[in-house]
Amino acid sequence: MPVQIIMTEGLASKVEAQKAHAEISQVFLDLHQISNNSFMLPNIIGEVVFVEEGLTFSGKAVNSIAIVELRVPSFTFGTQQQKDEFVQKATDIILRATSGKLSKEHVWVNAVYAVDGLWGIAGKAYSNEELGQAIQTAAN
């Protein structure tokens, strides 16, 4: 499940950004109780993208920002409580990583849901049902 962090250059060091990515990935795994799942663990992937200062915007003006975006199957985050907790924890992680250089109002967190049957891993297109089965099988 790709985890992407996009932020204005200069908000966090490379090390802090790496740490934030790992922590956000762990929050995702923990919320779904799959932290040690042998199928999921190698499929938590992603990147941190630093955007040149002056090229990030909020309110139609140049502003420093951070965006946390996940690309996940449509069955992910099955409850509002999971969504609320993920957004709150991911925001807190970004705020720590940026050491006070960014306000909470300039952190956005969202998820993009993949089309059922088009979740490709290692050359195989998984349906939601197949993906769920692979995760459950690896948990046993």
Side-chain angles (χ1 to χ4, degrees), residues 48-112:
V48 176
V49 177
F50 291 108
V51 179
E52 183 180 336
E53 192 173 4
L55 293 176
T56 56
F57 307 88
S58 168
K60 300 192 302 182
V62 172
N63 275 297
S64 293
I65 63 168
I67 302 165
V68 176
E69 183 170 277
L70 284 84
R71 291 176 198 87
V72 293
S74 59
F75 60 81
T76 308
F77 296 111
T79 68
Q80 188 60 47
Q81 181 180 347
Q82 281 181 315
K83 294 170 189 173
D84 293 344
E85 192 171 341
F86 183 80
V87 168
Q88 182 255 322
K89 287 183 176 185
T91 300
D92 289 346
I93 290 166
I94 293 298
L95 292 175
R96 274 195 310 275
T98 59
S99 304
K101 296 177 190 169
L102 192 64
S103 69
K104 183 173 22 176
E105 292 75 25
H106 287 110
V107 179
W108 288 268
V109 180
N110 73 317
V112 176

